[in-house]
């Protein structure tokens, strides 16, 4: 009988026919699974479920992010008024912003919010109308605007490298300075970065505000006025531009911490200093009085905060100051620079002037009236009376060049002093804004005369930069010098006031002379105040060879000076719509309301 053999060879699994190969593995896997312990089986099942969940979540999350990007903040890319596009170098920052047919530019960096954020609930009837800035595409930014953008980026780079999170940069010693420990330069610059479409820098600033900005770490007094115009105003403006609830949340928190200045005072006049941690408030250490400009330059910001949050306590507290001052006796509509919060009365022994501690009282009379839709009559009446008083009592003209200037009334004696602060150069822009909104035409003539004087405050100096204070010889014959600078006043602090007026006058009149003046001043800043890691105040505008740098860059340099220069050089002179927006004293645009 012939023997039969059956052979099973497992040496090379790849030689097994396909069907047999799959059957073999299926049995092996099942056998391996059967051999696992219960714990091992549970672990494998849990791991498999986790992987499936992560894949599913990733698909859903990215779909939602793409949808959010479409819904994110939009910039209107309006064509040049002249129809011409000025060629300029396009850097990587602007290449991020595409130009599309609908002229709407979407940038998710401006509205990206935390998934866990709980924004303040805002009633629609009180919600501020978020405005959308009219931003130029890279092709329509002028060469001069490009130069200003480069200045902002230069200043920002130095600040970020050597002073990040602190109030101010010391660009020469490569150090920082803290005034209130609030990252002042960052918050003050938010809307400047936004308006100039510096998306990377704006995202950096927004990230710091979200992760590092707090009011709980500095247990000492801060100044109500400075924190309001720079920090509160900066947060509110950034909120309106970006519609990002983070900024409103921070603004509301800050507003609550500033209220003790009003609540602790026995009168409507707030205390000047407040501790944001302990919520205590008091008069300044050096005086029992508050500055009239400081207590009367809070209303735009506090009113806007109330309209955004539907918490009327902010507006009520700040507006009570204006109502109180309105009822006080004001000869010729003019106010002394000090007022006592304990009595609520002016210190009539103090000076009357439009420079330091007096200036923005007059500015906010007009701007409050505009902000409230021109509905508060006493603000308009007090403003007109004050301007008439300034023209009648404080204004003189030099005999040689016929320079119109605004002097001061000295304390107690009320004798006239031909001293004019650079700060006073904000007034021409305010006057022009008033005329645009229906004030007497003679105010525009006055504004044009003051503009010429302020221009010569720059033009007459060897550096082309204005000193802090000038004096006028208004009683000399025509052969005398009509303007001079005293040795203690030769410093330049990178101030914005005349640039502000240049922008306002150009915005309202379209006179391009104001653009040329601004370009001259910008070039002087570049030549004499720019250093390797930022810009610095200087001590001597009279000596181009020895300007004596102060090693200090103010937060308002980016917030105001460079912002106004950028707006001034725009071919669209209404890049900021003055029918919808009003600038606060720190150049932060806020909405105009109808009531």
């Amino acid at each position: 009988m012939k023997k039969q053999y059956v052979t099973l060879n497992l040496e090379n699994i790849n030689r097994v026919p396909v069907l047999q190969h799959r059957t073999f593995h299926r049995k092996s896997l099942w056998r391996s699974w059967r051999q696992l312990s219960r714990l091992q089986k549970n672990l494998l099942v849990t791991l498999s479920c986790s992987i499936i969940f992560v894949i599913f979540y990733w698909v859903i999350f990215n779909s939602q992010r793409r949808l959010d990007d479409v819904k994110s903040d939009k910039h209107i890319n309006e064509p040049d008024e002249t129809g011409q596009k000025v060629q300029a170098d396009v850097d990587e920052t602007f290449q991020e912003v595409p130009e599309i047919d609908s002229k709407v530019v979407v940038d998710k960096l401006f509205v990206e919010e935390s998934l866990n954020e709980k924004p303040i609930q805002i009633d629609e009837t009180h919600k501020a109308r978020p405005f959308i800035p009219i931003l130029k595409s890279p092709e329509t930014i002028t060469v001069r605007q490009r130069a200003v953008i480069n200045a902002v980026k230069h200043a920002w780079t130095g600040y970020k490298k050597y002073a990040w999170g602190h109030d101010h940069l010391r660009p020469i010693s490569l150090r920082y300075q803290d005034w209130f420990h609030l990252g002042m330069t960052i918050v003050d610059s938010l809307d400047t970065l936004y308006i100039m479409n510096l998306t990377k820098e704006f995202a950096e600033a927004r990230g710091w505000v979200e992760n590092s900005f707090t009011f709980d770490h500095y247990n000492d007094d801060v100044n109500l006025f400075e924190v309001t115009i720079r920090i509160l105003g900066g947060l509110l403006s950034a909120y309106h531009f970006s519609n990002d609830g983070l900024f409103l949340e921070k603004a509301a928190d800050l507003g609550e911490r500033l209220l003790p200045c009003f609540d602790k005072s026995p009168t409507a006049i707030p205390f000047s200093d407040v501790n944001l941690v302990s919520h205590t408030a008091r008069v300044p250490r050096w005086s029992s009085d508050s500055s009239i400009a400081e207590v009367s330059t809070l209303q735009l910001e506090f009113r806007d905060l109330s309209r955004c949050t539907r918490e009327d306590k902010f507006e009520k507290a700040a507006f009570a100051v204006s109502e109180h001052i309105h009822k006080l006796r004001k000869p010729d509509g003019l106010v002394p620079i000090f007022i006592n919060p304990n009595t609520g009365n002016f210190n009539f022994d103090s000076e009357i002037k439009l420079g330091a501690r007096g200036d923005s009282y007059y500015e906010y009379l007009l701007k409050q009236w505009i902000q409230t839709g021109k509905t508060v009559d006493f603000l308009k009446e007090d403003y007109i009376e004050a301007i008439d008083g300034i023209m009648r009592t404080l204004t003189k003209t030099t005999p040689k060049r016929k320079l119109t200037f605004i002097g001061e009334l000295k304390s107690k004696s009320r004798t006239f002093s031909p001293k004019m602060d650079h700060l006073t150069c904000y007034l021409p822009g305010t006057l022009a804004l008033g005329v645009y909104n229906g004030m007497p035409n003679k105010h525009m003539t006055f504004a044009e005369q003051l503009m010429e004087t302020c221009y010569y405050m720059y033009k007459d100096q060897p550096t082309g930069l204005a000193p802090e204070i000038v004096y006028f010889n208004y009683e000399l014959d025509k052969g005398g010098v009509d303007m001079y600078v005293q040795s203690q006043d030769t410093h330049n602090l990178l101030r914005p006031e005349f640039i502000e007026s240049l922008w306002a006058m150009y915005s309202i009149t379209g006179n391009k002379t104001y653009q040329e003046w601004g370009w001259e001043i910008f070039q002087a800043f570049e030549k004499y105040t720019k250093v390797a890691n930022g810009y610095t105040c200087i001590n001597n505008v009279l000596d181009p060879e020895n300007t004596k740098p102060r090693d200090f860059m103010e937060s308002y340099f980016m917030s105001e000076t460079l912002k106004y220069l950028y707006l001034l050089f725009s071919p669209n002179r209404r890049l900021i719509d003055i029918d919808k927006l009003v600038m606060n004293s720190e150049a932060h645009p806020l909405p105009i309301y109808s009531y």
Side-chain angles (χ1 to χ4, degrees):
M1 181 176 176
K2 187 176 180 179
K3 296 182 179 179
Q4 295 181 349
Y5 297 91
V6 177
T7 303
L8 181 63
N9 188 353
L10 299 178
E11 289 182 357
N12 192 342
I13 196 70
N14 292 325
R15 294 180 181 177
V16 178
V18 174
L19 181 59
Q20 295 177 0
H21 182 201
R22 289 177 179 172
T23 304
F24 175 81
H25 269 280
R26 185 161 55 248
K27 291 180 180 179
S28 298
L29 289 173
W30 175 247
R31 185 180 301 112
S32 299
W33 174 257
R34 292 286 301 272
Q35 291 174 349
L36 293 176
S37 68
R38 180 176 297 177
L39 176 60
Q40 290 172 321
K41 291 177 181 179
N42 289 338
L43 288 175
L44 284 174
V45 170
T46 301
L47 179 61
S48 300
C49 291
S50 299
I51 293 173
I52 294 172
F53 176 80
V54 169
I55 294 173
F56 178 80
Y57 179 82
W58 184 85
V59 172
I60 298 299
F61 177 78
N62 277 275
S63 298
Q64 182 63 37
R65 285 295 297 274
R66 286 192 293 271
L67 179 62
D68 289 343
D69 288 351
V70 175
K71 295 179 179 179
S72 63
D73 193 41
K74 301 174 180 62
H75 302 163
I76 300 174
N77 184 13
E78 189 176 80
D80 189 346
E81 286 185 343
T82 64
Q84 298 178 348
K85 295 184 177 181
V86 180
Q87 294 296 324
D89 295 333
V90 182
D91 62 19
E92 60 181 5
T93 299
F94 283 84
Q95 288 174 351
E96 296 174 2
V97 184
E99 183 175 3
I100 47 184
D101 294 338
S102 62
K103 298 182 179 179
V104 175
V105 176
V106 179
D107 191 337
K108 65 182 179 182
L109 289 176
F110 290 161
V111 243
E112 189 173 10
E113 299 182 3
S114 168
L115 293 175
N116 298 320
E117 185 178 25
K118 296 180 180 178
I120 291 176
Q121 296 301 315
I122 306 168
D123 186 280
E124 290 300 318
T125 60
H126 289 265
K127 183 177 179 181
R129 178 179 65 253
F131 54 86
I132 301 174
I134 301 171
L135 301 178
K136 296 294 182 181
S137 69
E139 293 78 16
T140 56
I141 291 175
T142 68
V143 172
R144 292 179 177 182
Q145 283 181 296
R146 169 64 60 190
V148 178
I149 290 172
N150 289 337
V152 169
K153 294 177 73 172
H154 179 70
W156 184 260
T157 299
Y159 171 80
K160 182 183 175 184
K161 187 173 183 179
Y162 298 107
W164 187 248
H166 297 279
D167 287 339
H168 295 110
L169 167 68
R170 294 189 179 278
I172 298 175
S173 60
L174 308 182
R175 298 163 59 193
Y176 57 80
Q177 185 269 352
D178 276 317
W179 190 8
F180 303 135
H181 299 263
L182 292 173
M184 193 171 291
T185 292
I186 296 176
V187 182
D188 223 358
S189 301
L190 281 166
D191 54 11
T192 296
L193 300 175
Y194 193 102
I195 289 169
M196 295 185 186
N197 221 1
L198 295 174
T199 60
K200 178 174 70 70
E201 290 81 358
F202 183 88
E204 293 169 347
R206 197 259 183 211
W208 182 85
V209 171
E210 180 178 31
N211 299 315
S212 303
F213 187 42
T214 175
F215 306 115
D216 291 321
H217 65 286
Y218 182 57
N219 192 16
D220 204 349
D221 294 331
V222 301
N223 180 266
L224 168 66
F225 161 74
E226 295 289 357
V227 170
T228 296
I229 64 170
R230 300 194 197 207
I231 304 299
L232 183 59
L235 290 170
L236 289 170
S237 184
Y239 163 67
H240 288 297
F241 273 114
S242 67
N243 205 25
D244 187 335
L246 169 69
F247 299 118
L248 181 55
E249 181 182 356
K250 295 289 186 179
D253 185 9
L254 178 57
E256 292 283 356
R257 296 168 187 261
L258 295 175
L259 279 179
C261 287
F262 303 90
D263 297 338
K264 305 295 184 183
S265 173
T267 69
I269 304 302
F271 290 134
S272 65
D273 294 356
V274 61
N275 186 309
L276 300 179
V277 177
S278 66
H279 296 200
T280 56
R282 61 173 179 78
V283 296
R285 291 186 174 92
W286 49 268
S287 174
S288 60
D289 294 334
S290 295
S291 300
I292 186 65
E294 293 186 357
V295 302
S296 61
T297 312
L298 313 165
Q299 290 70 29
L300 296 184
E301 299 82 0
F302 275 75
R303 177 176 290 109
D304 190 60
L305 182 58
S306 278
R307 304 299 174 91
C308 291
T309 63
R310 203 188 59 169
E311 293 283 352
D312 61 0
K313 59 187 175 183
F314 304 112
E315 180 173 1
K316 283 184 176 179
F319 190 52
V321 182
S322 299
E323 293 176 313
H324 179 85
I325 295 174
H326 167 66
K327 297 174 183 177
L328 297 178
R329 182 175 66 89
K330 299 178 289 293
D332 290 324
L334 306 178
V335 295
I337 62 171
F338 289 115
I339 189 169
N340 192 295
N342 290 303
T343 66
N345 295 323
F346 290 127
N347 179 350
F348 277 102
D349 287 338
S350 56
E351 303 159 273
I352 292 178
K353 61 179 182 178
L354 269 71
R357 304 192 183 281
D359 49 359
S360 48
Y361 160 74
Y362 306 96
E363 174 190 3
Y364 268 42
L365 285 176
L366 175 70
K367 290 183 175 180
Q368 279 194 81
W369 179 66
I370 293 172
Q371 185 193 33
T372 54
K374 307 176 186 177
T375 59
V376 184
D377 290 339
F378 83 78
L379 294 169
K380 175 184 178 181
E381 294 163 0
D382 286 359
Y383 173 78
I384 292 176
E385 182 184 11
I387 299 303
D388 286 344
I390 291 168
M391 296 174 69
R392 181 170 56 252
T393 307
L394 301 181
T395 303
K396 306 287 184 182
T397 302
T398 64
K400 184 178 181 181
R401 285 187 288 180
K402 303 297 182 182
L403 298 180
T404 298
F405 68 95
I406 298 174
E408 302 176 358
L409 298 182
K410 294 182 178 180
S411 58
K412 297 183 180 180
S413 68
R414 289 290 181 264
T415 56
F416 181 80
S417 171
K419 169 179 173 284
M420 180 168 161
D421 291 6
H422 178 274
L423 287 167
T424 307
C425 288
Y426 84 90
L427 186 61
T430 299
L431 290 167
L433 182 63
V435 173
Y436 180 79
N437 283 278
M439 296 297 176
N441 288 332
K442 65 180 181 180
H443 290 187
M444 182 59 82
T445 302
F446 186 35
E448 291 169 346
Q449 293 169 343
L450 290 173
M451 286 295 286
E452 184 178 15
T453 301
C454 290
Y455 171 65
Y456 281 114
M457 288 173 66
Y458 285 81
K459 186 70 173 178
D460 283 0
Q461 316 315 321
T463 59
L465 293 174
E468 183 70 0
I469 297 170
V470 297
Y471 287 81
F472 295 87
N473 286 320
Y474 66 100
E475 294 179 330
L476 296 179
D477 59 30
K478 294 184 179 181
V481 176
D482 51 8
M483 181 193 300
Y484 64 94
V485 184
Q486 295 186 353
S487 59
Q488 69 270 22
D489 302 323
T490 60
H491 48 289
N492 180 285
L493 303 181
L494 306 174
R495 289 201 185 275
E497 285 75 23
F498 183 49
I499 311 298
E500 174 185 359
S501 286
L502 287 171
W503 165 73
M505 292 290 285
Y506 170 66
S507 177
I508 291 166
T509 68
N511 187 341
K512 294 186 177 181
T513 296
Y514 300 125
Q515 288 183 311
E516 298 307 313
W517 289 357
W519 183 242
E520 290 177 23
I521 295 169
F522 174 73
Q523 290 178 301
F525 277 130
E526 288 287 290
K527 185 173 183 179
Y528 295 108
T529 72
K530 185 177 183 179
V531 293
N533 292 284
Y535 292 80
T536 179
C537 303
I538 59 176
N539 270 323
N540 190 4
V541 300
L542 303 181
D543 187 353
E545 304 301 321
N546 185 21
T547 59
K548 300 179 180 179
R550 284 195 169 194
D551 188 22
F552 192 78
M553 187 177 77
E554 289 275 5
S555 74
Y556 59 64
F557 182 62
M558 279 195 284
S559 171
E560 298 188 74
T561 307
L562 293 179
K563 180 191 297 171
Y564 280 129
L565 283 166
Y566 179 84
L567 297 175
L568 173 66
F569 298 146
S570 173
N572 174 13
R573 57 191 175 96
R574 297 289 172 81
L575 195 59
I576 294 294
D577 190 346
I578 59 176
D579 289 316
K580 297 179 181 178
L581 309 172
V582 60
M583 293 288 202
N584 88 330
S585 195
E586 192 76 6
H588 297 306
L590 299 173
I592 295 172
Y593 296 90
S594 59
Y595 61 98

